[in-house]
Amino acid sequence: MADVSKNLKVYTTYGPKSAKGTKPAIVAKMIEKAKRPLFVVGSDVLEEKLLACAQTIAKKGIPVAATGHSIKGFIDEEGVDAKYINIHSLGTFLCDPKWDGLDDNGCYDLIILLGHKKYYINQVLSGLKNFSDLKTINIGRHYTQNATMSFGNTTPEVHLEALDELIDNL
Amino acid sequence: MSELKTGTFSVSDLENVQINIGSIVGAIEKTAAEEGEVGPTIKPNISGLRDWDYKLFERYNPVYTPMCDQCCYCTFGTCDLTGNKEGACGINMEGHNAREFMLRVITGASAHSGHGRHLLHHLIDKYGADYPLKVGQTNIIAPNVQMVTGKKPETLGDLEDSLSYVEEQLVQLLACVHMGQEGEAIDFESKAMHGGMLDHVGMEVSDIAQISCLEMPKADEEPPLSEIGMGTIDSEKPVLLVIGHNVAGVTDIIDYMEDNDLTENMELCGLCCTALDMTRYRTEGGDVPKAKVVGTLAKELKMIRSGVPDVIVVDEQCVRADVLREARELMMPVITTNDKIMYGLPDRSEDDVEDIIDDLKSGRDDGALILDFEKLGEVAPRLTKEMSKIRKEKGVVSLPTEEEFNELTSRCVHCLACELECPTNLPISDAMTAAEEGDLRPFEILHDKCVACGRCEQACPKDIPVLNVIEKASQKVIREERGKVRVGRGQISDPEIREEGVNLVMGTTPGIIAMVGCSNYPDGTKDLYRIADEMLRRNYIVLMSGCSAMDLGMYQNDDGETLYEKYPAKFQKGNLINVGSCVSNSHITAAAIKVAAIFAQRNITGNYEEIADYVLNRVGAVGVAWGAYSQKASSIGTGCNRLGIPVILGPHGSKYRRALIGKPYEEDKWKVLDARNGKTMDIPAAPEFLLTTAETIDEMMPMLAKNCIRPSDNNMGRMIKLTHYIELSEKYLGIIPDDWYRFVRSETDLPLARREELLKKLEQEHGWEIDWNKKKIISGPTSKLDVSAQPTNVERLCKEA
Ligand code: SF4
Ligand code: SF4
Ligand code: SF4
């Protein structure tokens, strides 16, 4: 089992509220329970092995918000419902209860993130933490304290193991 | 006591009479008014343009991404504001973050106008208050000054009044930071916009003063090229390094070197905007630049650690706080020349030159504060020659030897502490492993991405000087860092605006991409080259300034040419311009103002709102601050925003904690009025934001094209812009953008070569009705094509229906 819930070290802190460390199996359960999950995928996902994981997760029927230029990894993938959106815009719209989502079916209740620069996604998540009630889980390789839950800091190898475990549990 | 309102008077043979001249400002105001129309906002105070700001915020939502969830401004606190809670004084998270953003903006604006004030004092001292302002072929010497203050300055002395206005307003804004008082985020936002506007006035004053006095290029269509890069510095010669933004004192160094035949035997080089301004000094008319540019702030520690400089002179703004501590280790005396940076050094301004040189070369002092520029001019080059000998004799080396390098890389225990603390989480540990195995490439790649902040070294439990390791490993690529940067040209001339204005407003020149700001890029310096090259090939006008202008010159194409050599430098489509240093950013907003003034014959004097409205709706320009980190970058960007110019930041820009983002799904927000009759017109969502970030260059490319689209585009213009939007999206994202059809008003807006294909998509995917015989759109578009419409957001500018 890939233990990714431990190393929650941060360089500087944002304040009193920090993400809980979490494990792949727990994330899988939360995704199963969610009514409107959204899988938000950043450009760093375009690395071969990470992309394969991301595509597999997407194929489990979770709609994908492809930020940056990550959409390139999802075009023509069968069974994947992916749309491009800028992450800063997405962060803004997610705080707006009047937004109808990427597919006009209403707002989301769980956000799962993968493949973003840590310092960038942590900022976007800070907006969501302070101005929305959304649950956010970062399953990237770096602990991001502004999510509701986050994997801890890991090596690339352990990170891939953790993603495989997550996929097995979905 | 009698008061004289206007006119002239003469006094003779007076005894015991006191004459008080309060201010002659009013007289100038009067002249401006007499010469032409004057708008409603001469020297607006904090609330003067609030209505305009509110209009912008109605469409562009302030978006906060706090960096600290607490507030510790006063001793009522510390207060936890997480989740938009209120602190003890009643301010909530939104309000506090808006306040913080405003503070960032006025810090930047103060840096520029403080610089301007220092420069102006110095130049008036040297050249006199009556010295005429000369900025090139133009009737509008200072567009920002004229638009905001209502003045048309003609002499150095005339600039004082504008600067006083800026200073007064900045004090008022700073007062608003005090705890309590303002409760609503939106009014802090409006104040931030005010600070941004003031910044462009302050920058303009600084730059036109130095352009006029220091024989800098004046709206030159082909200024000379200067050398740039660490690889251009001949370390065999004595090397004098200057760091900062204020060229005032450096000009004395250059003059002394020339007068004493030192130019050939010494290297004078610079980092940051002082470097750019040194290359502008006395190059009016195409003379060879008198100094070399090393690069940006990201090169400061690298250059010092290289051990190459013999003496360092610093002035102000983006200068590392540890220059003295770093230089001390390497026996490089540091001379501070401005009271913004004094590093605890003794003030030697009044001392004898020989004594100062003796104390520094003997090592008795690490450095000196010299505020007398004439003295500085002599001390710095003479000391450099002496120190070069001494440092060579002593064999001062900084970077590790081969053996030390091997020891350092094998000392690494791969704990990843450095990577966690690196602002971009660079893969240092893997590079250490590769270097141990003899492969230096990963470190060479790191070298380009590393901003030389030194945080990794502070974190390493094994005391490895990580930056020195990176630099040692990258010696080969550093030697190859040799490029060319075009010397800053200053303003865009009136004839250029006259020719190009129509193309910009109609859209047949697809837009202006203004790449400004600092060097905290997410993925290395080459990003800038990629953006500029792509947009220039597509005929956009690309304007550069500051650190971005430098970094662009660091790359060559396959023919060994930098983009500055490849593309001409006029203000017309497909041209690449460097306006100059940080303070030259005012010429970018000035160009937009001049399009309104010259092409559209709008009055700009004291007429901010009308001009900003014009720019927002008709001038397709987007700012890019891809590596912005400084407070100055936030004030420059905010000044652009108030004037209706959208700005995109790189991912680090999210740490400014505030963006201005529109919501395309809020349809009622995307409407303008037609000034001919006051009727409402639907427009597509562009510009979609005033300030936002992009994740990667690839993502930003189509964003640039889309956000140059304006309601005023004619169909040729819209067709060109839409073609670029679709093509760039296909090229960099691999998709036709979801919203492309929203920009189509008629079939003539469609890219010519793909008209049939796109008409089919409109019919099948969006349910539009098409007349296939005539290949015409019958119904579908939400926005209408009417080339004579006069789009505006300001009701008072509309004629009655
Ligand atoms: S300014 Fe207000 S929120 Fe900040 S510490 Fe003081 S009381 Fe708390
Ligand atoms: S000096 Fe370079 S490698 Fe070290 S932390 Fe700073 S950016 Fe990262
Ligand atoms: S902190 Fe030091 S020991 Fe740890 S990985 Fe980085 S360089 Fe190696």
Side-chain angles (χ1 to χ4, degrees), chain B residues 709-751:
Chain B
I709 293 176
R710 292 293 176 276
S712 65
D713 300 335
N714 69 10
N715 29 47
M716 176 68 88
R718 181 62 59 87
M719 180 182 83
I720 292 170
K721 292 182 182 188
L722 193 55
T723 304
H724 293 309
Y725 177 37
I726 293 175
E727 282 182 9
L728 285 166
S729 180
E730 287 176 330
K731 180 169 173 184
Y732 289 96
L733 303 182
I735 50 166
I736 286 202
D738 275 353
D739 60 354
W740 71 273
Y741 68 96
R742 291 180 180 272
F743 299 95
V744 180
R745 300 161 300 181
S746 93
E747 57 287 340
T748 47
D749 286 345
L750 292 169

Side-chain angles (χ1 to χ4, degrees), chain A residues 7 9-11 13-17 41-44 66-73 75 83-89 91-96 98-100 102 115-131 141-143 146 153-157, chain B residues 61 63-70 80-84 93-94 97 416-417 419-425 430 455 521-523 650-659 661-666 688 691-699 703 730-735 738:
Chain A
N7 181 354
K9 231 170 117 189
V10 288
Y11 177 64
T13 155
Y14 277 66
K17 198 173 161 191
V41 177
S43 304
D44 287 352
T67 70
H69 64 286
S70 67
I71 187 77
K72 275 204 151 162
I75 304 164
K83 280 217 161 79
Y84 158 74
I85 186 165
N86 170 276
I87 186 74
H88 217 141
S89 293
T92 307
F93 303 167
L94 282 172
C95 292
D96 179 1
K98 290 196 299 282
W99 186 47
D100 264 345
L102 290 165
H116 298 90
K117 290 188 170 49
K118 173 196 165 138
Y119 61 86
Y120 190 32
I121 202 63
N122 215 14
Q123 281 311 111
V124 175
L125 285 168
S126 148
L128 292 175
K129 174 174 92 174
N130 281 297
F131 303 108
R141 196 166 81 69
H142 292 285
Y143 175 66
N146 287 327
N153 301 302
T154 56
T155 61
E157 298 75 34
Chain B
N61 308 267
V63 176
Y64 304 106
T65 51
M67 187 133 233
C68 174
D69 300 338
Q70 305 177 122
D80 172 19
L81 306 179
T82 316
N84 209 21
M93 179 65 111
E94 277 181 345
N97 270 268
L416 305 183
E419 295 188 17
L420 187 64
E421 306 222 356
C422 173
T424 22
N425 307 116
D430 281 355
R455 265 167 41 175
Y521 314 114
D523 207 23
H652 282 291
S654 59
K655 288 180 264 175
Y656 283 120
R657 294 155 261 180
R658 154 21 191 86
I661 296 177
K663 297 174 177 171
Y665 56 88
E666 287 184 338
E688 205 175 1
L691 189 75
T692 193
T693 57
E695 197 170 313
T696 59
I697 290 297
D698 297 57
E699 180 189 17
M703 285 169 80
E730 287 176 330
K731 180 169 173 184
Y732 289 96
L733 303 182
I735 50 166
D738 275 353

Side-chain angles (χ1 to χ4, degrees), chain B residues 70-81 86-91 96 99 177-180:
Chain B
Q70 305 177 122
C71 175
C72 50
Y73 268 29
C74 80
T75 67
F76 251 166
T78 307
C79 299
D80 172 19
L81 306 179
E86 281 181 13
C89 64
I91 202 165
H96 177 58
R99 170 169 68 178
V177 177
H178 192 278
M179 68 84 65

